[in-house]
Amino acid sequence: FIPIEGVRVRVWRWFWSTEQYTNYSGYFKTWDTYRRSVTYRVIWNQYHFSIVSDGWFWGFFASTYKHTGLYMRARWYLTVYTSPRPQILFHSHIFREAYHYYYLDIKGLRRPPINSFWRSPMKIRARFRYNSDDGTHFPFSLYVLARIRIYNPYRKAEQIYATTIHELAHARHADFTNYTWWGFANVDEKVQESCATGVQWELTRMKYPDYKGRERAKDNYTLVVADMIDD
């Protein structure tokens, strides 16, 4: 059981509501008090990114995933690992990886594209279905669309973690506001994939020390970055 940090939780009753974010231990506390039953909701987004539904038109009409709890007069304890809805676990995995890359220690690397006046938050589509690719990244899509898709929800936690890190590394590499997109577009695919593979290997091991990733090079996914780091 791993606490999920940074999740937005909304508590409301009728027309009154308040929001807070979970802390490092996975807890949140509102400063408003309610004398009667309230409704809780977990919203899988942050200022710089959001985990969105499939939506229409390549994610243009995709909305942020929300999971609503019971209407009750008590504290709400949500254990996503034992939830009867497996989608919640998939969304929580992707959220943890994105939160790590955007807000936690990434050993001096540049952050993925951030929310600004010129663009919307990074949309990551959690596609609850099988696909031959674990994840995909669309570097030159409009920022109002979902640029990243994550598939195959029934994999191990570390594998979903690694896939999300890998695709966000591509987004960082192709960030036009830092003028790296031109380099991304003009380098060989082997360079693009090897760079993302190296970031995936290093950051995933921060959370899962036994993670080995790709132990052998395959096609364009070389191990050059890991080989320059490890001993």
Side-chain angles (χ1 to χ4, degrees):
F1 295 98
I2 302 172
I4 305 176
E5 181 183 2
V7 180
R8 184 153 61 106
V9 182
R10 179 179 298 163
V11 182
W12 83 88
R13 175 179 171 81
W14 296 99
F15 303 106
W16 292 271
S17 66
T18 184
E19 293 182 352
Q20 287 294 334
Y21 291 87
T22 56
N23 61 19
Y24 179 80
S25 299
Y27 289 97
F28 77 98
K29 179 180 180 179
T30 67
W31 299 108
D32 293 338
T33 57
Y34 295 87
R35 302 174 64 180
R36 295 179 176 87
S37 297
V38 296
T39 301
Y40 295 90
R41 172 173 287 177
V42 169
I43 305 172
W44 299 105
N45 75 341
Q46 268 280 347
Y47 179 73
H48 293 303
F49 70 88
S50 60
I51 314 302
V52 300
S53 59
D54 281 352
W56 300 341
F57 190 57
W58 292 68
F60 185 80
F61 297 104
S63 60
T64 301
Y65 273 116
K66 304 177 181 67
H67 296 293
T68 303
L70 298 175
Y71 180 67
M72 58 187 179
R73 186 182 179 184
R75 296 180 179 181
W76 185 39
Y77 295 95
L78 174 63
T79 303
V80 296
Y81 185 75
T82 58
S83 172
R85 291 182 290 178
Q87 293 89 342
I88 299 180
L89 182 61
F90 189 41
H91 304 159
S92 67
H93 281 317
I94 299 173
F95 183 92
R96 286 183 62 231
E97 289 88 81
Y99 188 82
H100 179 182
Y101 213 147
Y102 271 100
Y103 295 99
L104 302 181
D105 176 24
I106 55 173
K107 299 188 175 183
L109 293 174
R110 183 179 292 139
R111 303 288 180 184
I114 61 175
N115 186 9
S116 68
F117 177 80
W118 301 105
R119 60 189 178 195
S120 61
M122 174 68 67
K123 292 183 178 180
I124 305 173
R125 294 175 71 182
R127 308 212 68 180
F128 201 79
R129 63 185 68 183
Y130 172 79
N131 191 277
S132 56
D133 293 323
D134 293 330
T136 53
H137 168 249
F138 301 92
F140 305 115
S141 65
L142 298 175
Y143 278 93
V144 294
L145 305 179
R147 292 183 60 189
I148 292 175
R149 300 178 184 178
I150 307 297
Y151 301 92
N152 305 337
Y154 292 108
R155 292 175 291 149
K156 293 181 179 180
E158 64 181 35
Q159 295 171 338
I160 301 175
Y161 206 104
T163 299
T164 307
I165 292 293
H166 184 99
E167 303 307 332
L168 284 172
H170 280 318
R172 192 277 311 164
H173 195 177
D175 185 4
F176 76 89
T177 59
N178 288 307
Y179 304 102
T180 57
W181 63 272
W182 182 253
F184 182 85
N186 287 277
V187 298
D188 190 84
E189 184 180 357
K190 181 173 290 188
V191 177
Q192 298 174 3
E193 297 298 346
S194 298
C195 175
T197 298
V199 176
Q200 161 192 336
W201 181 84
E202 181 69 10
L203 296 190
T204 303
R205 286 168 60 88
M206 294 178 68
K207 298 295 182 179
Y208 299 94
D210 295 331
Y211 174 75
K212 296 181 179 179
R214 295 181 173 88
E215 296 182 280
R216 290 179 295 275
K218 180 181 178 182
D219 301 328
N220 291 321
Y221 298 83
T222 75
L223 306 178
V224 60
V225 175
D227 288 340
M228 289 190 293
I229 295 175
D230 69 10
D231 56 0

Short mmCIF file of all heavy atoms in Angstrom, two decimals, residues 1-39:
data_model
loop_
_atom_site.label_atom_id
_atom_site.label_comp_id
_atom_site.label_asym_id
_atom_site.label_seq_id
_atom_site.Cartn_x
_atom_site.Cartn_y
_atom_site.Cartn_z
N PHE A 1 0.85 -1.18 0.00
CA PHE A 1 0.00 0.00 0.00
C PHE A 1 0.89 1.25 0.00
O PHE A 1 1.65 1.47 0.93
CB PHE A 1 -0.92 0.00 1.22
CG PHE A 1 -1.91 -1.13 1.21
CD1 PHE A 1 -1.69 -2.30 1.91
CD2 PHE A 1 -3.05 -1.03 0.44
CE1 PHE A 1 -2.60 -3.33 1.88
CE2 PHE A 1 -3.97 -2.06 0.40
CZ PHE A 1 -3.75 -3.22 1.12
N ILE A 2 0.79 2.04 -1.06
CA ILE A 2 1.65 3.21 -1.26
C ILE A 2 0.78 4.47 -1.19
O ILE A 2 -0.19 4.59 -1.94
CB ILE A 2 2.36 3.13 -2.61
CG1 ILE A 2 3.19 1.85 -2.70
CG2 ILE A 2 3.23 4.36 -2.83
CD1 ILE A 2 3.77 1.60 -4.07
N PRO A 3 1.10 5.42 -0.31
CA PRO A 3 0.32 6.67 -0.27
C PRO A 3 0.44 7.42 -1.59
O PRO A 3 1.50 7.44 -2.22
CB PRO A 3 0.98 7.45 0.87
CG PRO A 3 1.72 6.43 1.67
CD PRO A 3 2.15 5.38 0.71
N ILE A 4 -0.64 8.03 -2.00
CA ILE A 4 -0.65 8.80 -3.25
C ILE A 4 -0.64 10.27 -2.89
O ILE A 4 -1.61 10.80 -2.32
CB ILE A 4 -1.88 8.46 -4.10
CG1 ILE A 4 -1.93 6.95 -4.35
CG2 ILE A 4 -1.83 9.21 -5.42
CD1 ILE A 4 -3.17 6.51 -5.10
N GLU A 5 0.43 10.93 -3.20
CA GLU A 5 0.63 12.34 -2.84
C GLU A 5 0.14 13.26 -3.95
O GLU A 5 0.29 12.95 -5.14
CB GLU A 5 2.11 12.60 -2.59
CG GLU A 5 2.44 14.02 -2.19
CD GLU A 5 3.93 14.24 -2.00
OE1 GLU A 5 4.71 13.28 -2.22
OE2 GLU A 5 4.31 15.37 -1.64
N GLY A 6 -0.46 14.39 -3.56
CA GLY A 6 -0.80 15.43 -4.51
C GLY A 6 -2.15 15.29 -5.18
O GLY A 6 -2.47 16.06 -6.09
N VAL A 7 -2.98 14.33 -4.75
CA VAL A 7 -4.29 14.14 -5.37
C VAL A 7 -5.26 15.19 -4.84
O VAL A 7 -5.30 15.48 -3.65
CB VAL A 7 -4.83 12.73 -5.07
CG1 VAL A 7 -6.21 12.55 -5.72
CG2 VAL A 7 -3.87 11.68 -5.59
N ARG A 8 -6.05 15.75 -5.72
CA ARG A 8 -7.05 16.75 -5.32
C ARG A 8 -8.31 16.05 -4.83
O ARG A 8 -8.86 15.19 -5.52
CB ARG A 8 -7.38 17.67 -6.50
CG ARG A 8 -8.33 18.80 -6.16
CD ARG A 8 -8.12 19.98 -7.09
NE ARG A 8 -8.35 19.67 -8.47
CZ ARG A 8 -9.42 20.06 -9.17
NH1 ARG A 8 -10.36 20.78 -8.58
NH2 ARG A 8 -9.55 19.77 -10.43
N VAL A 9 -8.76 16.41 -3.64
CA VAL A 9 -9.96 15.83 -3.05
C VAL A 9 -10.96 16.96 -2.80
O VAL A 9 -10.62 17.97 -2.18
CB VAL A 9 -9.65 15.10 -1.72
CG1 VAL A 9 -10.92 14.48 -1.15
CG2 VAL A 9 -8.58 14.03 -1.93
N ARG A 10 -12.16 16.76 -3.29
CA ARG A 10 -13.21 17.76 -3.12
C ARG A 10 -14.26 17.22 -2.15
O ARG A 10 -14.68 16.06 -2.25
CB ARG A 10 -13.86 18.09 -4.45
CG ARG A 10 -15.00 19.12 -4.37
CD ARG A 10 -15.57 19.39 -5.74
NE ARG A 10 -14.54 19.96 -6.62
CZ ARG A 10 -14.65 20.01 -7.95
NH1 ARG A 10 -15.71 19.50 -8.55
NH2 ARG A 10 -13.68 20.55 -8.66
N VAL A 11 -14.68 18.06 -1.22
CA VAL A 11 -15.74 17.73 -0.26
C VAL A 11 -16.83 18.77 -0.45
O VAL A 11 -16.56 19.97 -0.42
CB VAL A 11 -15.21 17.76 1.19
CG1 VAL A 11 -16.31 17.36 2.15
CG2 VAL A 11 -14.01 16.86 1.34
N TRP A 12 -18.08 18.31 -0.63
CA TRP A 12 -19.14 19.30 -0.79
C TRP A 12 -20.47 18.81 -0.26
O TRP A 12 -20.71 17.61 -0.10
CB TRP A 12 -19.28 19.71 -2.26
CG TRP A 12 -20.08 18.81 -3.13
CD1 TRP A 12 -21.42 18.85 -3.36
CD2 TRP A 12 -19.60 17.72 -3.93
NE1 TRP A 12 -21.81 17.87 -4.23
CE2 TRP A 12 -20.71 17.16 -4.60
CE3 TRP A 12 -18.33 17.17 -4.13
CZ2 TRP A 12 -20.59 16.08 -5.46
CZ3 TRP A 12 -18.21 16.09 -4.99
CH2 TRP A 12 -19.32 15.56 -5.64
N ARG A 13 -21.28 19.81 0.02
CA ARG A 13 -22.67 19.57 0.42
C ARG A 13 -23.51 20.69 -0.16
O ARG A 13 -23.28 21.86 0.15
CB ARG A 13 -22.80 19.53 1.95
CG ARG A 13 -24.24 19.40 2.43
CD ARG A 13 -24.35 19.34 3.94
NE ARG A 13 -25.74 19.43 4.37
CZ ARG A 13 -26.59 18.42 4.37
NH1 ARG A 13 -26.18 17.21 3.99
NH2 ARG A 13 -27.84 18.57 4.75
N TRP A 14 -24.44 20.33 -1.00
CA TRP A 14 -25.27 21.28 -1.70
C TRP A 14 -24.41 22.27 -2.48
O TRP A 14 -23.72 21.90 -3.38
CB TRP A 14 -26.22 21.98 -0.73
CG TRP A 14 -27.21 21.05 -0.10
CD1 TRP A 14 -27.13 20.49 1.14
CD2 TRP A 14 -28.41 20.52 -0.68
NE1 TRP A 14 -28.19 19.67 1.39
CE2 TRP A 14 -29.02 19.67 0.28
CE3 TRP A 14 -29.05 20.70 -1.90
CZ2 TRP A 14 -30.22 19.00 0.04
CZ3 TRP A 14 -30.26 20.04 -2.13
CH2 TRP A 14 -30.81 19.20 -1.17
N PHE A 15 -24.41 23.54 -2.10
CA PHE A 15 -23.68 24.55 -2.87
C PHE A 15 -22.36 24.95 -2.22
O PHE A 15 -21.69 25.88 -2.68
CB PHE A 15 -24.56 25.80 -3.04
CG PHE A 15 -25.87 25.51 -3.71
CD1 PHE A 15 -27.05 25.51 -2.98
CD2 PHE A 15 -25.93 25.23 -5.07
CE1 PHE A 15 -28.27 25.24 -3.59
CE2 PHE A 15 -27.15 24.96 -5.69
CZ PHE A 15 -28.32 24.95 -4.96
N TRP A 16 -21.98 24.26 -1.14
CA TRP A 16 -20.74 24.59 -0.45
C TRP A 16 -19.73 23.46 -0.68
O TRP A 16 -20.05 22.27 -0.53
CB TRP A 16 -20.99 24.75 1.05
CG TRP A 16 -21.83 25.96 1.36
CD1 TRP A 16 -21.39 27.22 1.60
CD2 TRP A 16 -23.25 26.00 1.45
NE1 TRP A 16 -22.45 28.05 1.85
CE2 TRP A 16 -23.61 27.33 1.76
CE3 TRP A 16 -24.27 25.04 1.30
CZ2 TRP A 16 -24.93 27.73 1.91
CZ3 TRP A 16 -25.59 25.44 1.45
CH2 TRP A 16 -25.91 26.77 1.76
N SER A 17 -18.55 23.83 -1.03
CA SER A 17 -17.52 22.82 -1.27
C SER A 17 -16.16 23.37 -0.89
O SER A 17 -15.95 24.59 -0.81
CB SER A 17 -17.51 22.39 -2.74
OG SER A 17 -17.10 23.45 -3.58
N THR A 18 -15.23 22.48 -0.67
CA THR A 18 -13.85 22.85 -0.39
C THR A 18 -12.94 21.78 -0.98
O THR A 18 -13.36 20.63 -1.20
CB THR A 18 -13.61 22.97 1.13
OG1 THR A 18 -12.27 23.42 1.36
CG2 THR A 18 -13.80 21.64 1.83
N GLU A 19 -11.71 22.14 -1.27
CA GLU A 19 -10.76 21.22 -1.87
C GLU A 19 -9.43 21.28 -1.14
O GLU A 19 -9.03 22.35 -0.66
CB GLU A 19 -10.53 21.54 -3.35
CG GLU A 19 -11.73 21.31 -4.24
CD GLU A 19 -11.42 21.59 -5.70
OE1 GLU A 19 -10.31 22.11 -5.96
OE2 GLU A 19 -12.27 21.32 -6.56
N GLN A 20 -8.77 20.15 -1.07
CA GLN A 20 -7.42 20.06 -0.53
C GLN A 20 -6.68 18.97 -1.30
O GLN A 20 -7.28 18.17 -2.01
CB GLN A 20 -7.43 19.74 0.96
CG GLN A 20 -7.86 20.90 1.85
CD GLN A 20 -6.88 22.05 1.83
OE1 GLN A 20 -5.70 21.86 1.58
NE2 GLN A 20 -7.38 23.26 2.10
N TYR A 21 -5.35 18.95 -1.12
CA TYR A 21 -4.52 17.95 -1.77
C TYR A 21 -3.94 17.00 -0.72
O TYR A 21 -3.64 17.42 0.40
CB TYR A 21 -3.37 18.61 -2.54
CG TYR A 21 -3.83 19.38 -3.75
CD1 TYR A 21 -4.21 20.72 -3.64
CD2 TYR A 21 -3.90 18.77 -5.00
CE1 TYR A 21 -4.63 21.43 -4.75
CE2 TYR A 21 -4.32 19.48 -6.12
CZ TYR A 21 -4.69 20.81 -5.98
OH TYR A 21 -5.11 21.51 -7.08
N THR A 22 -3.82 15.74 -1.10
CA THR A 22 -3.25 14.77 -0.17
C THR A 22 -1.77 15.07 0.07
O THR A 22 -1.06 15.54 -0.83
CB THR A 22 -3.39 13.34 -0.71
OG1 THR A 22 -2.79 13.25 -2.01
CG2 THR A 22 -4.86 12.95 -0.80
N ASN A 23 -1.31 14.79 1.28
CA ASN A 23 0.09 15.02 1.61
C ASN A 23 0.93 13.79 1.32
O ASN A 23 0.47 12.83 0.70
CB ASN A 23 0.22 15.44 3.08
CG ASN A 23 -0.30 14.37 4.05
OD1 ASN A 23 -0.43 13.19 3.69
ND2 ASN A 23 -0.60 14.76 5.27
N TYR A 24 2.17 13.80 1.80
CA TYR A 24 3.10 12.72 1.53
C TYR A 24 2.59 11.38 2.04
O TYR A 24 2.90 10.32 1.48
CB TYR A 24 4.45 13.04 2.16
CG TYR A 24 5.50 11.99 1.97
CD1 TYR A 24 6.20 11.89 0.78
CD2 TYR A 24 5.80 11.07 2.99
CE1 TYR A 24 7.18 10.92 0.59
CE2 TYR A 24 6.76 10.10 2.82
CZ TYR A 24 7.45 10.03 1.62
OH TYR A 24 8.39 9.05 1.43
N SER A 25 1.78 11.40 3.09
CA SER A 25 1.25 10.17 3.68
C SER A 25 -0.10 9.76 3.09
O SER A 25 -0.68 8.77 3.53
CB SER A 25 1.11 10.34 5.20
OG SER A 25 2.37 10.60 5.79
N GLY A 26 -0.59 10.51 2.12
CA GLY A 26 -1.85 10.15 1.49
C GLY A 26 -3.07 10.69 2.20
O GLY A 26 -4.20 10.32 1.86
N TYR A 27 -2.91 11.59 3.17
CA TYR A 27 -4.03 12.14 3.92
C TYR A 27 -4.32 13.58 3.46
O TYR A 27 -3.44 14.29 2.98
CB TYR A 27 -3.73 12.15 5.42
CG TYR A 27 -3.74 10.79 6.05
CD1 TYR A 27 -2.55 10.09 6.26
CD2 TYR A 27 -4.94 10.19 6.45
CE1 TYR A 27 -2.55 8.83 6.84
CE2 TYR A 27 -4.95 8.93 7.02
CZ TYR A 27 -3.75 8.26 7.21
OH TYR A 27 -3.75 7.01 7.78
N PHE A 28 -5.56 13.99 3.67
CA PHE A 28 -5.93 15.39 3.42
C PHE A 28 -6.83 15.85 4.56
O PHE A 28 -7.45 15.05 5.26
CB PHE A 28 -6.65 15.53 2.08
CG PHE A 28 -8.08 15.08 2.12
CD1 PHE A 28 -9.11 16.00 2.28
CD2 PHE A 28 -8.41 13.75 2.00
CE1 PHE A 28 -10.43 15.59 2.34
CE2 PHE A 28 -9.72 13.32 2.05
CZ PHE A 28 -10.74 14.25 2.22
N LYS A 29 -6.90 17.15 4.74
CA LYS A 29 -7.74 17.72 5.77
C LYS A 29 -8.33 19.03 5.27
O LYS A 29 -7.61 19.89 4.76
CB LYS A 29 -6.93 17.99 7.06
CG LYS A 29 -7.74 18.62 8.18
CD LYS A 29 -6.89 18.85 9.42
CE LYS A 29 -7.70 19.47 10.54
NZ LYS A 29 -6.89 19.69 11.77
N THR A 30 -9.64 19.16 5.39
CA THR A 30 -10.29 20.41 5.01
C THR A 30 -10.39 21.31 6.23
O THR A 30 -10.46 20.85 7.37
CB THR A 30 -11.71 20.15 4.47
OG1 THR A 30 -12.52 19.66 5.54
CG2 THR A 30 -11.70 19.14 3.35
N TRP A 31 -10.41 22.60 5.98
CA TRP A 31 -10.52 23.57 7.06
C TRP A 31 -11.96 23.97 7.31
O TRP A 31 -12.25 24.70 8.25
CB TRP A 31 -9.66 24.78 6.74
CG TRP A 31 -8.23 24.41 6.60
CD1 TRP A 31 -7.49 24.37 5.46
CD2 TRP A 31 -7.34 23.98 7.64
NE1 TRP A 31 -6.22 23.94 5.71
CE2 TRP A 31 -6.10 23.70 7.04
CE3 TRP A 31 -7.49 23.80 9.02
CZ2 TRP A 31 -5.00 23.26 7.76
CZ3 TRP A 31 -6.38 23.35 9.74
CH2 TRP A 31 -5.17 23.09 9.12
N ASP A 32 -12.87 23.51 6.46
CA ASP A 32 -14.29 23.72 6.68
C ASP A 32 -14.86 22.56 7.49
O ASP A 32 -14.37 21.44 7.41
CB ASP A 32 -15.05 23.83 5.36
CG ASP A 32 -14.65 25.07 4.59
OD1 ASP A 32 -14.14 26.02 5.23
OD2 ASP A 32 -14.83 25.08 3.36
N THR A 33 -15.89 22.85 8.26
CA THR A 33 -16.55 21.79 9.04
C THR A 33 -17.98 21.62 8.55
O THR A 33 -18.63 22.59 8.13
CB THR A 33 -16.57 22.13 10.54
OG1 THR A 33 -17.22 23.40 10.72
CG2 THR A 33 -15.14 22.21 11.07
N TYR A 34 -18.45 20.39 8.59
CA TYR A 34 -19.81 20.07 8.16
C TYR A 34 -20.52 19.30 9.27
O TYR A 34 -19.96 18.36 9.83
CB TYR A 34 -19.78 19.23 6.87
CG TYR A 34 -19.19 19.96 5.69
CD1 TYR A 34 -17.81 19.93 5.46
CD2 TYR A 34 -19.98 20.67 4.81
CE1 TYR A 34 -17.25 20.60 4.38
CE2 TYR A 34 -19.44 21.34 3.72
CZ TYR A 34 -18.08 21.30 3.52
OH TYR A 34 -17.54 21.96 2.46
N ARG A 35 -21.73 19.67 9.52
CA ARG A 35 -22.50 19.04 10.60
C ARG A 35 -23.32 17.88 10.09
O ARG A 35 -23.85 17.09 10.87
CB ARG A 35 -23.39 20.08 11.28
CG ARG A 35 -22.61 21.26 11.85
CD ARG A 35 -23.52 22.34 12.39
NE ARG A 35 -24.31 21.87 13.52
CZ ARG A 35 -25.19 22.63 14.16
NH1 ARG A 35 -25.41 23.88 13.75
NH2 ARG A 35 -25.87 22.13 15.18
N ARG A 36 -23.47 17.76 8.78
CA ARG A 36 -24.25 16.68 8.20
C ARG A 36 -23.44 15.96 7.13
O ARG A 36 -22.27 16.27 6.91
CB ARG A 36 -25.56 17.23 7.61
CG ARG A 36 -26.48 17.81 8.69
CD ARG A 36 -27.76 18.36 8.06
NE ARG A 36 -28.68 18.84 9.10
CZ ARG A 36 -28.66 20.05 9.61
NH1 ARG A 36 -27.73 20.92 9.21
NH2 ARG A 36 -29.53 20.41 10.53
N SER A 37 -24.06 15.02 6.47
CA SER A 37 -23.36 14.18 5.48
C SER A 37 -22.83 15.03 4.32
O SER A 37 -23.42 16.04 3.93
CB SER A 37 -24.30 13.11 4.95
OG SER A 37 -24.70 12.22 5.98
N VAL A 38 -21.70 14.59 3.77
CA VAL A 38 -21.07 15.26 2.65
C VAL A 38 -20.71 14.23 1.59
O VAL A 38 -20.73 13.02 1.83
CB VAL A 38 -19.80 16.02 3.09
CG1 VAL A 38 -20.14 17.14 4.05
CG2 VAL A 38 -18.78 15.06 3.68
N THR A 39 -20.36 14.71 0.41
CA THR A 39 -19.89 13.86 -0.68
C THR A 39 -18.42 14.13 -0.93
O THR A 39 -17.99 15.29 -0.94
CB THR A 39 -20.70 14.13 -1.96
OG1 THR A 39 -22.07 13.89 -1.71
CG2 THR A 39 -20.22 13.22 -3.09
#
